[in-house]
Amino acid sequence: IYGPLDAEAHEQYRMFKKLGVFGVDRTAAGARAFLRTGGAILAEPRASLWITAEGAFTDPRARPVSIMPGVAHLAKRMTHGRIVPLAIEYPFWNERSPLALSRFGAPIEVGASEVDDWQALLEARLTETMEALAADARSREATRFRPVLTGARSVGLVYDSWRRLRAAVTGRSYRPGHEERPT
């Protein structure tokens, strides 16, 4: 697993180098280096390249979605594999901490099909994936999601202590969160 990161941030957070993260300058030379490095990674059969296609973390409601042109150039050069759009949101529902919601879009097979405008295709597919995730997030229906990781649930120390005491006095069971989680 590999991924690009802004060159300045890459220098600041050197620990990412050991995780397969490589720095990219936002210059013409940096774009060429990104295409060379990305192409070499994607030439490996078992490698994957995870890209923040917009070039930065952005608000998931911002439209139109505009990906960096280097991503489309890299897709155009691929001879095998697939591109899978991924949307991520961090909404607050009923707990004090946000949820991390994600949705994978339909894979795009490369090499076997002719695509005239990779930029438009990638932006459209990422937009579709983001819209579908947004609809699921707005529904606030936990059953639309499959939990991968869960953390401790609580509202706050003082409030939770009061609720725990009240539950014990009244003989009810104590639930640390406000809502049921999907199983």
Side-chain angles (χ1 to χ4, degrees):
I1 298 174
Y2 298 90
L5 180 66
D6 178 76
E8 287 181 27
H10 191 253
E11 284 303 312
Q12 185 176 355
Y13 303 105
R14 294 177 184 260
M15 65 188 168
F16 286 123
K17 289 180 182 180
K18 294 179 181 177
L19 300 174
V21 176
F22 58 95
V24 176
D25 278 323
R26 290 184 180 255
T27 62
R32 287 190 298 274
F34 166 75
L35 291 174
R36 273 193 311 275
T37 303
I41 290 167
L42 295 173
E44 294 296 321
R46 297 186 53 154
S48 64
L49 182 60
W50 293 67
I51 302 173
T52 305
E54 293 176 283
F57 295 116
T58 59
D59 188 306
R61 297 165 291 197
R63 298 291 182 271
V65 171
S66 177
I67 65 170
M68 298 294 287
V71 177
H73 287 291
L74 192 58
K76 193 182 304 184
R77 294 175 178 195
M78 289 176 65
T79 59
H80 65 280
R82 61 186 60 88
I83 298 169
V84 183
L86 170 62
I88 302 173
E89 285 195 28
Y90 300 97
F92 285 86
W93 281 359
N94 294 330
E95 305 299 337
R96 73 178 183 165
S97 298
L99 298 166
L101 305 178
S102 61
R103 181 184 192 93
F104 288 97
I108 305 165
E109 295 293 332
V110 297
S113 62
E114 293 296 319
V115 176
D116 291 330
D117 191 350
W118 276 102
Q119 186 82 16
L121 175 63
L122 296 173
E123 288 175 349
R125 291 288 185 89
L126 183 55
T127 301
E128 289 168 11
T129 306
M130 292 169 70
E131 293 292 340
L133 176 60
D136 286 340
R138 280 191 304 271
S139 78
R140 298 172 66 109
E141 292 178 29
T143 56
R144 290 187 180 196
F145 299 94
R146 181 180 50 149
V148 177
L149 296 172
T150 58
R153 298 176 73 183
S154 76
V155 178
L157 179 62
V158 174
Y159 184 60
D160 279 346
S161 298
W162 166 251
R163 291 175 60 227
R164 187 182 303 272
L165 177 63
R166 189 175 69 196
V169 169
T170 60
R172 297 182 188 169
S173 64
Y174 170 70
R175 283 186 15 224
H178 283 112
E179 60 192 23
E180 291 297 322
R181 287 189 176 168
T183 56

